[in-house]
Every structure is written in structure tokens, then in C-alpha cells.
Amino acid sequence: MVFKPEKPSIFGESLESLSARVVEAGYKPFRARQTMEWVYKKRVGDWDAMSNLPKDFRNWLNAHYIFYPAEPVLDKRSNDVTQKLLLQLEDRSLIETVLIRAPQVGVGQAHSRKTVCVSIQVGCAYGCKFCASGIAGFRRNLNPSEVVAQLMHICRREDAHTVRADASRPSFDNIVFMGMGEPLANYDTLVKTIRILNAQWGLDFGARRITVSTSGLAPQIKKLAEEGLAVRLAISLHGATDAVRSQIMPINQRFPLSELIPAAKAFQQAHGRMLTLEFILIEGVNDGLDQAAALVEIARELHAHVNCIPYNKVEGLEWKRPSIRRQDAFVEVLKKAGVSVTIRREKGHDIDAACGQLRLKTEAQDDAPPLQS
Ligand code: SAH
Ligand code: SF4
């Protein structure tokens, strides 16, 4: 189910679909290309700024489209490197978009590498036990314009203080589908959005700098492998045996490791690049050295990099983050076995950066914007 607004947002159109509507309305097709140029290269926020378009065409655009289908209601900056936007959609649902800055040594903030983490659903149906996005269940899928708009909001905020040779280029370096929701459960939106981001007339953003993170929908992983998009794939593994993974992620009962691993392998072979396995470390649940040993086997089989993430406490959930000593012992097993591994040291803990947490808190407050149920 996708929310259908009265007027669509311009961010949902492709050059082809916009051209078709423009021609149908009696205008020349090149008006569509000019419009996209204003939207994605000059990144204006209203029709009247599109100064080389005739007034009656701008009126036509205004009558048929809105710009942003999502408006910021909160902009929270943590004192480290993370900034979180809480956006309200037209049906008053809330979604989150996070900007993560990784400063480059010695060159200051203006040159930091920026990663944008986008949401693709309101809530999530998969109910992983460590994740705030799943706590309130699933509300609806986002449409492509609602995902593209998240990136355009960030882009316009960052444009002013980002140094880049070509000002038409987006003001961030990577996009990750790791916010709220399961990207492969909203497959059509995912693929349409990536095509808009990737297109020369769109953001012209390289697919290689886009990462899709999934909890492991095996059939859709295989489908994405055949889609002809050079995106990266990250798998939320979090358990290296079925017994442990099923305890953490209910999806494992539908697609156990015996189905997930071959699907991931098919993706890896079709793309020829390293996959990423995400592994949240939760004390006494999945941080034992036997799990590390099983993880070594999976990483080798898939030619994958492992990203260990110390569990971020979610209010209302019992679990704890292991001590640094336990985290290090786990990582050491992987390193010794020659597996490529990193451990994420915290970013944005003070603004509830683990996915879904800011929305959950805001919805729980009395003064939160009213939501439709
Ligand atoms: N549905 C997709 C994408 C969104 S969740 C998926 O499951 O992959 C993406 C990631 O958010 C998780 O894999 C995990 O890395 C991170 N995450 C969610 N809750 C977290 C928590 N409590 N602590 C640390 N990381 C968390
Ligand atoms: Fe959904 Fe991903 Fe969170 Fe699991 S980890 S509940 S799939 S958003």
C-alpha cells in the first residue's frame, strides 16, 4: 500500500514520464528536461525560480505537482557527527533521515565525507528484536518521491557549506538504505528511486555509492541481483547460526541461512564486489566466540566484509551492549581468520541514531504532531 496524495510530487517523475505528461498537455518535450535541470542540478524549491520556463508552463507545473511531499519538523544535531531530520509526510506520518559526517583528517568539516541514511517505509513489519523501527509495527510504504525528497532536503541544507568542484553535484558522498523500513519489501519504490538518483537528468549519483541494506528477503535479493543496478548490498545478519538468528530476527524462520546465503552469493557473483555483513553485538545473545567462528565461515563463503556494530540501547528492550573487552575478543577471531572486519565506534548515540528511535520518542510525546492511524 502506498499513500496517494491529491497532487503528486515532481520528485516521483522520471524524465520519460514527465515528458509524456508535458507533451500530452501540449508543451514541447524539452520543457521536461529543463524542469529536471532546475529540480536536480540547481535544486530550486519553487516553480517561479525556474526563470527560463514560460509563465504558463510554470502555472501548469504548479497546477499538477507539488515540490516536497515531506516537511522537516525537527532537525537534531548531535555533538559528534550525526544530524537527524524528522520529516512529516502529507498524511502526517513521520520518517527519519540521518546525515553522518566522517571528518577527513586535517581538512575540516567542509571536506568531511557525508553519508545519508534514508527511510523507505513508515515503521517496519519485520519486528527484529533489537530495532526501534519495528516496535510500533508497519504503517505504509513510501513512494519514490518521498524517498527522493529526503535526499533533496539534505542536499539543499548541505549545499551552502560543502566544497565541490561542480556545484550541480550532490553535496554528499554515499546513500544508504538503512533508515526505517525494509527496502526489499518496498521493491518497486526502491528500484524507481535508485533509477531517479542514478539518472543523468536526476541526481546523477553513482549506483556504486548506494548501499541497500536488507534483513534477508532471499527471493528479492536474487531479483535485485538481476536488475542491472550496480548498487552495493549489506545484509543484516546479526546471528551466524539459525538458532541465534531466529531469536533476534523473526524473518529467519521464513528465510533461514540455507536460503539467505545462496541468494547473497548469487548477488555477489552477479556484481563481483564485496558484500557487507552487519552484525550487531548484543551481550550474551550473539557475542560468543562460537558465533564469531561461524561468522568467519559465512564471510569467507560470501567474500564479505563484516561490520560489527555495538548494540545501541533501545528504550523498552532488555538487551545490553557488551563490554569493549568482549567486543574486541569477538573482532579478534575474525581478524585472525583473515576476514575483513571493522567495528563501528559510536556515532550519534546522543540523538538516538539507531534507526526508528527518534520517531518513536517523538510519537510518544504529548506534543507530537497528530498522526492518522
Ligand atoms: N531493514 C533493513 C534496513 C534498516 S535497519 C535491514 O534490516 O537491514 C539497518 C540497520 O540499522 C541494522 O542492520 C543495524 O545495523 C542498525 N540498527 C538498528 N537497530 C539498532 C540498534 N538498536 N543498535 C545498533 N544498530 C541498530
Ligand atoms: Fe525492519 Fe530492518 Fe529494523 Fe528489522 S532491522 S525491524 S527489517 S528496519
Side-chain angles (χ1 to χ4, degrees), residues 117-118 120-121 124 126 128-133 176-184 212-217 234-238 245 249 251 278-282 307 309-314 317 321 344 353-357:
C117 178
V118 291
I120 192 144
Q121 296 181 314
C124 183
Y126 289 87
C128 301
K129 303 249 169 74
F130 53 81
C131 176
S133 292
V176 294
F177 285 84
M178 288 188 188
M180 211 193 301
E182 168 50 51
L184 296 185
V212 174
S213 176
T214 178
S215 57
L217 277 64
I235 303 215
S236 289
L237 198 66
H238 312 318
R245 192 165 193 265
M249 304 178 73
I251 181 94
E278 293 163 89
F279 206 94
I280 299 179
L281 294 170
I282 311 166
N307 187 17
I309 308 152
Y311 172 65
N312 221 340
K313 181 114 187 82
V314 175
L317 300 181
R321 164 183 295 203
R344 190 198 290 172
C355 70
Q357 291 189 39

Side-chain angles (χ1 to χ4, degrees), residues 318-348:
E318 292 297 302
W319 287 336
K320 275 196 351 217
R321 164 183 295 203
S323 66
I324 298 270
R325 249 187 55 211
R326 275 180 81 99
Q327 293 174 27
D328 286 346
F330 190 95
V331 169
E332 210 38 47
V333 173
L334 294 151
K335 275 192 185 152
K336 279 224 173 87
V339 171
S340 160
V341 55
T342 43
I343 178 147
R344 190 198 290 172
R345 295 296 178 200
E346 221 166 346
K347 285 178 185 143

Side-chain angles (χ1 to χ4, degrees), residues 170-225:
S171 38
F172 45 78
D173 307 285
N174 300 292
I175 297 170
V176 294
F177 285 84
M178 288 188 188
M180 211 193 301
E182 168 50 51
L184 296 185
N186 190 6
Y187 191 90
D188 289 349
T189 288
L190 177 72
V191 169
K192 276 189 194 148
T193 301
I194 293 170
R195 294 200 197 284
I196 293 171
L197 302 176
N198 199 209
Q200 267 182 359
W201 52 260
L203 260 195
D204 199 10
F205 196 88
R208 284 187 167 71
R209 293 188 287 138
I210 300 176
T211 302
V212 174
S213 176
T214 178
S215 57
L217 277 64
Q220 284 88 340
I221 292 175
K222 286 195 215 148
K223 196 170 167 198
L224 189 66

Side-chain angles (χ1 to χ4, degrees), residues 344-364:
R344 190 198 290 172
R345 295 296 178 200
E346 221 166 346
K347 285 178 185 143
H349 190 55
D350 54 329
I351 58 158
D352 314 302
C355 70
Q357 291 189 39
L358 183 62
R359 163 182 171 258
L360 205 67
K361 268 196 182 166
T362 309
E363 286 191 348

